[in-house]
Amino acid sequence: MKIATWNVNSVRKRAGHLAAWLKAAQPDVVVLQEIKAQEAQFPRLEIEATGYKAEIVGQKGFNGVALLARHPVEITARALPDGDGDEQARYIEGRVATPAGPLTVGGIYLPNGNPIGTDKFAYKITWMDRLIQRTRQLLEREEMFVLGGDYNVCPTELDVYNPKAFANDALCQPQSRAALRTLLNLGLTDAVRAFDLDGACYTFWDYQAGAWAKNWGLRIDHLLLSPQAADRLSAVGIDKTERGRPDASDHVPVWCELEV
DNA sequence: ATGGTGGCGGTGCCA
């Protein structure tokens, strides 16, 4: 099973790139972030022609997530628990069958949280608490799951091209990193770090200031695996070449393979 | 360099 995550920065602008990448990469399940579309605006014909069924949690203009799969999927959640009126489309979760038992895949678009010291940052931390709560529920099943997405958190200084420049950024705040560590310390495995302990495995390069050409990147897109999934982890990759294409998203796909 | 780039929607907001 190949599981992937990709923040596409508008699925309508990136439908051609996405369809080509699906054909080339052949993932089994993909979670998308920042589709910036309502469900009716999703380019369903173009994407589903590649052999994938798309499940959408849409929103007008901003945010929006989707789960694509070439196997039957049971959607198990379209939001995190305790939303309390939260209308932002940032979570989708589905369950697929595998020879090794059910696999749950969660798609996450974690709030950016900038600027710090505002209600946007408070919303980010609250959202992370809700993700931790959902993760505790999933862990009780003692099954395979993968929580993939744009976490908008650089786990350590190693994940930032210039840590000093990001000292006051929400993506690098001690509070953001502590919440991510709390999530990991529940027993999850960061798939990229399971294979590369000290490399600069960036997944995002800003559009501004020629960041891609200068490799001014961040590692903010992650695949976090339950113990049952981590036991079957056989490969991990970051499809950096996607960032070099004309009209690219500012994020690239991250994927892992589970031996099932 | 109080900029820079990109998407949405049709104006500033968000990243």
Side-chain angles (χ1 to χ4, degrees), chain A residues 120-225:
Chain A
K120 289 185 181 178
F121 188 73
Y123 174 65
K124 177 186 191 126
I125 299 302
T126 300
W127 202 94
M128 293 183 83
D129 287 341
R130 293 167 59 200
L131 178 60
I132 290 163
Q133 184 185 338
R134 181 57 179 162
T135 303
R136 289 187 197 279
Q137 294 170 352
L138 293 173
L139 281 164
E140 286 175 7
R141 300 177 185 167
E142 301 187 347
E143 293 175 354
M144 293 188 290
F145 69 78
V146 177
L147 298 178
D150 177 358
Y151 281 73
N152 268 319
V153 179
C154 302
T156 73
E157 301 289 70
L158 186 62
D159 303 304
V160 193
Y161 71 93
N162 182 357
K164 285 183 181 172
F166 279 79
N168 292 317
D169 195 285
L171 280 58
C172 300
Q173 286 309 290
Q175 208 179 347
S176 310
R177 287 177 168 163
L180 185 66
R181 281 198 304 275
T182 298
L183 188 61
L184 288 163
N185 289 344
L186 297 177
L188 304 190
T189 295
D190 178 340
V192 166
R193 283 290 176 244
F195 274 76
D196 187 336
L197 294 180
D198 52 12
C201 307
Y202 300 146
T203 65
F204 164 90
W205 295 261
D206 202 286
Y207 288 120
Q208 301 185 70
W212 168 245
K214 292 180 277 197
N215 196 30
W216 288 359
L218 305 173
R219 190 173 79 94
I220 52 179
D221 300 275
H222 309 300
L223 295 164
L224 305 190
L225 276 54

Side-chain angles (χ1 to χ4, degrees), chain A residues 21-83:
Chain A
W21 175 79
L22 288 169
K23 287 179 191 169
Q26 292 290 303
D28 291 283
V29 184
V30 184
V31 286
L32 304 177
Q33 302 85 37
E34 281 200 275
I35 65 170
K36 294 184 173 177
Q38 295 168 298
E39 178 160 10
Q41 299 172 310
F42 191 90
R44 192 175 283 280
L45 288 177
E46 185 171 359
I47 300 307
E48 294 194 339
T50 62
Y52 292 80
K53 175 79 166 63
E55 297 284 351
I56 318 294
V57 175
Q59 183 179 334
K60 186 178 181 181
F62 303 106
N63 305 324
V65 292
L67 190 154
L68 313 183
R70 53 180 182 183
H71 313 281
V73 175
E74 175 200 355
I75 293 298
T76 49
R78 294 181 172 274
L80 288 173
D82 290 347

